[in-house]
Amino acid sequence: RGRAKLIDTLKTYDDTSNQFITTEAKENNTEKTKGTELEAIASHNGLFFPDLIYGSKGSSVDIYCNYLKLTTDESKGVYNYEVRFFPPIDSVHLRIKYLKDHKDKLGGTKTFDGNTLYLPILLPNKMTVFISKVEDAELQIRILYKKKEEMRNCTQLYNILFDRVMKVLDYVKFDRKQYDPSRPKIIPLAKLEVWPGYVTAVDEYKGGLMLCCDVSHRILCQKTVLEMLVDLYQQNVEHYQESARKLLVGNIVLTRYNNRTYKINDICFDQSPTCQFKIKTGWTSYVEYYKQYHNIIIKDVNQPLIYSIKKSRGIPAEGEHIQFSLIPELCYLTGLRDEVRSDNKLMREIATFTRVSPNQRQMALNKFYENVSKTPAAQEILNSWGLSLTNNSNKIIGRQMDIEQICFSKTSVSAERSAEFSKHAATNEMLKVVHLSRWIIIHLRNDTKAATNLLDNMKQACKSLGMNISNPTMISLDRDRIDAYIQALRRNITINDQIVVCICHNSRDDRYAAIKKICCSEIPIPSQVINAKTLLNDLKIRSVVQKIVLQMNCKLGGSLWTVKIPFKNVMICGIDSYHDPSNRGNSVAAFVASVNSSYSEWYSKAVVQTKREEIVNGLSASFEIALNIYRKRNGKLPTNVIIYRDGIGDGQLNTCLNYEIPQFEMVCGNHIKISYIVVQKRISTRIFSESGIHLENPLPGTVVDQQITKSNMYDFFLVSQMVRQGTVTPTHYVVLRDDCNYGPDIIQKLSYKLCFLYYNWTGTIRIPACCMYAHKLAYLIGQSIQRDVAESLS
């Protein structure tokens, strides 16, 4: 997949022939020109940063955020040194050990990774030499001064310092989050406890160096892993080992005697605590080891052992995996298991602890600042590097966008401040209606009442929505088996049928996947799968059926509503990818592009990728097809293309800039301009608005593009959805390219408008609709449909 191969496969638009041609069909000098052009694009390393990055439209609002200001002592800094050993030492562990012998001469405060040394002081000489005695020989340690680091290059070090601060405060680390084991909140009936904690991150923002601090929670089971194994054994002796591995492998456990976490990689049933293993002083058993080193008496000596494998932190030559053997009766499972997630009552009880209001988040932020300020050891860690926290900088200025108008077929209504319009969507004629004349309903014989309720309520709902509906072909099944649904679909679907509706007795993923596979790849036809229970609730059936009718109209090619987007000849695209959570399958990328001026109809295509691949290959082919369809529908190609890319983290921005965007540019050539915007949902930033003496969630349409935005990015935060419980999470937008020169106001307003156009929700969603459609398509292909047919699905 080298650059030369990429150039050969990419295509561009040719004016003379009025079609897309490959670079292979061009003359040699044209190939060289395009190759040089792509190299120039790929060599660009910096992020896009124009002169104007702040918007001005909308009313000003006061916003609070979960950031604390970090001030630095001018008399101190971060000094970078290179450390060399003579004779050379390969072991990083030994390098750290030998340098630690001279910590008093280095000032007592340092950070060393085996090669690079950071000190808060400047040593008197450019090269400092220490001598250590190693087995009757001399070891020379040379410390060479390199430079004083700029603040933007020290954020990794500062994050390490706050890890040390949290350790001083006796917090337990799970991944990048820290939890307080001393203040658990107990859920006795489920034998669960909730640990409160924080997730912190230091970075350089437009408002200076700041610490982002958000509230987090971790669920911990009070039952030991051994108790779970005993329960499994009593339930099913024959398949005990298989069930145990299925339940536990891949989960994270905590050992309370050292408050460390481990991922379960395997369960060894032929080993027990009485087995011997080697330590420095010889051989010992696990029973003896825990008695001697932890003063713990293992009660069950016949239990199996848990294996956990972690990567070594050493250099590549030492990069072997370290295997830990754990005792089940000393391990506690963390996180939410499937049986807990399926218990709605229990999840509501857990939510009372984990769903935190804006006021509670602000109190937690103040509590964190107080803990750090009043702990001398924590203050010493920060002061030694010239850092100090201040708690008076979390008030910033945001802007509130104007209220949007929702356009139906014959009228327009205001979305109001809440940005919700469900009552209007159910009573106004849809924007583009597709009448239903030939369709099929498949149901169990026992669910005949549910099918009748669906048909009766659909006829009633369609009157106000402007949709004509004919009686369907009713197929009744005797057995609730997957093969029965498959045979019914194969026997009854004809080329003239518009849609098939399957009413299932209950919710089952395997049956849903089988139906979707048949209707998407084998016999292409729009399909609607409905749980019969939702059609038997007399109180909710009217609203449920209204939503079903709206969904069916969309699947038939209709449109529900739109908002005014005053663009001419502009295509909007969305990209997202899906990864198999089991880590076994390939990832699936989805591409979505608008094909009309009201942005209510979309072309879509799915592409299969290698495992865990996020950067999307093959974009040029999908984009080229979308442009051809756009030209057929509108009579010409778009002049501008705006691309929203979901699922990219900060560490992948440069790769996206240098690899994905050139694929689009080579197809567009000089004829179509590109604006490329990355959408990030998984962020720790929280913003609140002021309401008297209390804090509350900001209204939809609130945008923040100053103070807490990154210092080296063209970015902004947007709250587009209404949240009435807990705290709203804003969406982070990073503009990587804006060749169209729209500027911040138009991009911010457009991003908000697109959040109204997701037809499965009568309101706004967190991300632009094109990204959500791409996400849904990638999830459908990756989760429910065979991957060998995904490439051909569009």
Side-chain angles (χ1 to χ4, degrees):
R1 297 182 298 184
R3 185 175 298 145
K5 184 178 178 181
L6 176 63
I7 295 170
D8 288 339
T9 57
L10 291 176
K11 301 181 179 181
T12 188
Y13 185 76
D14 183 58
D15 275 334
T16 57
S17 61
N18 199 34
Q19 63 182 358
F20 288 93
I21 59 174
T22 64
T23 54
E24 293 176 334
K26 295 185 176 183
E27 296 179 359
N28 291 335
N29 57 351
T30 307
E31 290 185 356
K32 292 178 181 178
T33 302
K34 289 298 179 183
T36 306
E37 186 178 311
L38 184 58
E39 286 186 20
I41 294 168
S43 63
H44 179 70
N45 291 321
L47 295 181
F48 178 64
F49 202 86
D51 294 333
L52 182 62
I53 60 173
Y54 302 126
S56 58
K57 300 294 180 65
S59 56
S60 178
V61 291
D62 290 334
I63 296 293
Y64 289 85
C65 60
N66 59 333
Y67 284 76
L68 297 173
K69 182 81 172 179
L70 267 175
T71 56
T72 55
D73 188 349
E74 295 296 331
S75 63
K76 295 184 179 181
V78 178
Y79 299 94
N80 186 328
Y81 297 87
E82 181 183 351
V83 182
R84 298 177 182 175
F85 294 83
F86 296 94
I89 297 177
D90 293 333
S91 172
V92 174
H93 175 73
L94 290 177
R95 291 183 193 179
I96 295 173
K97 177 181 179 297
Y98 293 141
L99 186 65
K100 191 175 182 180
D101 294 338
H102 305 280
K103 64 178 181 179
D104 294 337
K105 301 172 187 176
L106 297 173
T109 301
K110 64 173 175 55
T111 295
F112 181 53
D113 64 1
N115 292 300
T116 303
L117 172 68
Y118 291 103
L119 295 175
I121 59 171
L122 180 63
L123 296 177
N125 301 316
K126 286 193 173 182
M127 185 174 77
T128 305
V129 180
F130 297 133
I131 304 296
S132 295
K133 293 286 185 180
V134 181
E135 297 178 356
D136 299 328
E138 286 190 351
L139 173 68
Q140 190 180 91
I141 305 174
R142 297 180 185 176
I143 302 174
L144 307 173
Y145 172 72
K146 295 182 69 175
K147 61 180 177 178
K148 182 179 179 179
E149 295 285 0
E150 296 182 13
M151 183 173 63
R152 67 172 57 90
N153 299 328
C154 299
T155 54
Q156 184 178 1
L157 169 64
Y158 295 154
N159 281 300
I160 293 172
L161 295 182
F162 272 95
D163 280 347
R164 296 178 184 175
V165 167
M166 301 303 276
K167 192 172 183 179
V168 165
L169 297 175
D170 294 327
Y171 277 64
V172 178
K173 188 173 183 179
F174 286 78
D175 295 327
R176 297 180 180 179
K177 301 175 182 179
Q178 309 274 356
Y179 298 94
D180 185 1
S182 64
R183 296 188 298 117
K185 298 169 184 177
I186 309 299
I187 304 176
L189 292 178
K191 292 188 176 181
L192 296 175
E193 56 185 66
V194 182
W195 285 12
Y198 299 96
V199 51
T200 60
V202 179
D203 210 335
E204 187 183 15
Y205 301 90
K206 293 186 176 75
L209 191 67
M210 287 190 278
L211 172 76
C212 178
C213 180
D214 189 31
V215 174
S216 182
H217 294 87
R218 188 76 181 184
I219 310 297
L220 192 71
C221 187
Q222 290 184 321
K223 291 174 63 176
T224 65
V225 173
L226 177 60
E227 292 175 293
M228 293 181 176
L229 291 173
V230 170
D231 291 342
L232 289 174
Y233 184 82
Q234 293 173 347
Q235 292 170 11
N236 192 338
V237 178
E238 293 182 1
H239 301 93
Y240 155 63
Q241 294 187 10
E242 180 184 345
S243 301
R245 287 193 172 95
K246 185 176 180 181
L247 175 68
L248 298 175
V249 171
N251 285 301
I252 308 295
V253 293
L254 173 82
T255 50
R256 290 182 183 268
Y257 55 85
N258 59 0
N259 276 337
R260 290 185 179 177
T261 58
Y262 304 87
K263 181 179 180 179
I264 300 178
N265 294 100
D266 196 9
I267 305 173
C268 189
F269 292 97
D270 57 357
Q271 297 273 323
S272 72
T274 57
C275 293
Q276 301 277 320
F277 68 99
K278 192 174 183 179
I279 58 175
K280 291 181 180 179
T281 57
W283 289 84
T284 186
S285 68
Y286 294 97
V287 175
E288 296 167 348
Y289 175 84
Y290 278 96
K291 174 62 177 175
Q292 180 179 353
Y293 290 95
H294 297 286
N295 196 26
I296 294 174
I297 299 175
I298 295 177
K299 299 175 182 178
D300 187 345
V301 295
N302 296 316
Q303 60 187 300
L305 297 182
I306 295 173
Y307 283 171
S308 177
I309 300 174
K310 290 188 178 182
K311 291 183 179 179
S312 171
R313 292 186 178 181
I315 59 176
E318 298 179 329
E320 298 179 355
H321 295 306
I322 303 173
Q323 178 176 296
F324 294 89
S325 297
L326 307 173
I327 309 300
E329 74 175 59
L330 305 178
C331 298
Y332 297 84
L333 214 60
T334 70
L336 289 173
R337 305 186 306 280
D338 291 339
E339 61 266 26
V340 175
R341 293 181 188 275
S342 61
D343 190 334
N344 294 329
K345 183 178 179 181
L346 179 56
M347 289 299 293
R348 284 195 296 269
E349 188 173 357
I350 294 174
T352 59
F353 301 111
T354 60
R355 190 174 290 155
V356 183
S357 68
N359 271 323
Q360 291 171 321
R361 285 187 186 272
Q362 188 64 32
M363 290 172 60
L365 183 67
N366 295 334
K367 180 67 175 176
F368 172 81
Y369 172 76
E370 184 180 331
N371 288 344
V372 175
S373 301
K374 292 185 177 181
T375 305
Q379 283 294 296
E380 175 61 26
I381 292 172
L382 297 179
N383 292 338
S384 62
W385 290 91
L387 296 177
S388 59
L389 273 178
T390 57
N391 194 22
N392 57 355
S393 60
N394 59 350
K395 185 175 181 179
I396 56 178
I397 301 297
R399 288 177 288 111
Q400 176 69 47
M401 296 185 187
D402 297 334
I403 297 175
E404 288 293 331
Q405 294 292 314
I406 310 300
C407 303
F408 294 96
S409 176
K410 298 179 179 178
T411 185
S412 296
V413 299
S414 171
E416 301 180 351
R417 284 296 180 192
S418 63
E420 292 182 356
F421 47 92
S422 55
K423 60 181 179 181
H424 300 292
T427 56
N428 285 286
E429 184 176 325
M430 296 178 286
L431 185 67
K432 179 183 176 182
V433 179
V434 178
H435 300 296
L436 197 54
S437 56
R438 289 183 62 90
W439 59 301
I440 301 171
I441 293 181
I442 299 175
H443 64 90
L444 282 179
R445 194 176 302 279
N446 294 338
D447 292 328
T448 303
K449 183 180 178 181
T452 304
N453 288 349
L454 171 66
L455 189 57
D456 293 343
N457 281 274
M458 281 183 67
K459 291 180 178 179
Q460 189 67 28
C462 286
K463 294 178 181 179
S464 60
L465 297 174
M467 185 178 183
N468 296 329
I469 179 173
S470 302
N471 288 327
T473 300
M474 304 290 287
I475 308 297
S476 180
L477 304 179
D478 294 326
R479 297 176 300 166
D480 185 15
R481 293 171 56 92
I482 294 176
D483 58 349
Y485 282 92
I486 292 175
Q487 291 173 13
L489 291 169
R490 288 173 174 167
R491 290 173 181 172
N492 294 283
I493 294 175
T494 66
I495 194 171
N496 296 319
D497 290 322
Q498 295 172 278
I499 193 170
V500 58
V501 177
C502 294
I503 300 175
C504 301
H505 188 68
N506 50 25
S507 179
R508 279 178 52 186
D509 291 339
D510 54 349
R511 179 174 52 208
Y512 177 86
I515 293 172
K516 287 298 180 181
K517 180 183 176 182
I518 293 293
C519 296
C520 288
S521 59
E522 185 176 323
I523 312 172
I525 184 174
S527 58
Q528 185 79 28
V529 181
I530 306 171
N531 191 334
K533 293 180 181 178
T534 62
L535 300 174
L536 299 175
N537 188 333
D538 295 333
L539 298 177
K540 296 182 179 180
I541 187 170
R542 183 178 178 183
S543 62
V544 168
V545 172
Q546 283 175 345
K547 293 176 182 177
I548 291 173
V549 172
L550 294 176
Q551 287 185 19
M552 290 174 64
N553 184 63
C554 292
K555 293 178 179 181
L556 292 169
S559 306
L560 305 185
W561 62 79
T562 189
V563 294
K564 293 179 181 179
I565 301 178
F567 280 156
K568 290 184 179 180
N569 209 27
V570 176
M571 174 191 280
I572 296 176
C573 305
I575 306 171
D576 198 8
S577 53
Y578 167 80
H579 305 292
D580 191 336
S582 64
N583 240 352
R584 292 193 297 261
N586 294 332
S587 65
V588 178
F591 175 85
V592 171
S594 64
V595 295
N596 65 347
S597 58
S598 61
Y599 302 99
S600 58
E601 298 178 14
W602 306 84
Y603 160 81
S604 61
K605 188 174 181 64
V607 180
V608 176
Q609 304 184 122
T610 56
K611 292 182 181 180
R612 310 304 297 173
E613 185 178 357
E614 183 62 58
I615 301 300
V616 178
N617 290 302
L619 284 177
S620 56
S622 304
F623 185 47
E624 175 194 332
I625 298 171
L627 287 175
N628 280 325
I629 292 175
Y630 186 95
R631 184 176 56 184
K632 289 179 182 177
R633 294 285 298 270
N634 301 278
K636 57 183 176 181
L637 288 169
T639 55
N640 296 338
V641 175
I642 303 171
I643 302 162
Y644 284 90
R645 173 67 161 102
D646 200 358
I648 292 291
D650 286 349
Q652 295 174 303
L653 290 177
N654 272 313
T655 307
C656 182
L657 181 69
N658 299 329
Y659 183 68
E660 282 193 1
I661 296 179
Q663 295 186 54
F664 290 99
E665 290 183 329
M666 293 300 292
V667 174
C668 292
N670 297 322
H671 308 277
I672 304 173
K673 295 180 180 179
I674 294 175
S675 292
Y676 199 94
I677 304 160
V678 169
V679 182
Q680 297 178 334
K681 305 183 298 292
R682 297 179 181 178
I683 59 174
S684 299
T685 299
R686 300 291 184 272
I687 59 177
F688 326 113
S689 61
E690 194 173 17
S691 176
I693 60 173
H694 299 290
L695 297 177
E696 60 183 21
N697 287 316
L699 292 171
T702 301
V703 64
V704 175
D705 58 6
Q706 300 187 41
Q707 292 293 108
I708 59 174
T709 50
K710 297 290 182 68
S711 62
N712 61 336
M713 294 181 187
Y714 174 16
D715 60 338
F716 61 92
F717 293 98
L718 174 64
V719 174
S720 54
Q721 75 277 29
M722 188 70 182
V723 173
R724 292 185 170 87
Q725 292 182 326
T727 305
V728 68
T729 301
T731 303
H732 187 216
Y733 293 83
V734 182
V735 183
L736 289 184
R737 293 291 293 273
D738 187 18
D739 297 341
C740 308
N741 292 321
Y742 287 125
D745 279 318
I746 292 178
I747 290 178
Q748 291 169 9
K749 188 68 173 177
L750 173 66
S751 301
Y752 181 50
K753 284 177 177 287
L754 290 174
C755 295
F756 283 87
L757 297 181
Y758 180 60
Y759 287 153
N760 211 25
W761 179 254
T762 52
T764 50
I765 56 175
R766 282 186 63 184
I767 57 178
C770 52
C771 290
M772 181 59 82
Y773 289 134
H775 167 76
K776 290 292 184 180
L777 175 60
Y779 182 85
L780 174 67
I781 303 301
Q783 186 75 10
S784 302
I785 299 177
Q786 288 287 341
R787 293 175 177 82
D788 57 355
V789 300
E791 292 181 350
S792 61
L793 182 69
S794 61

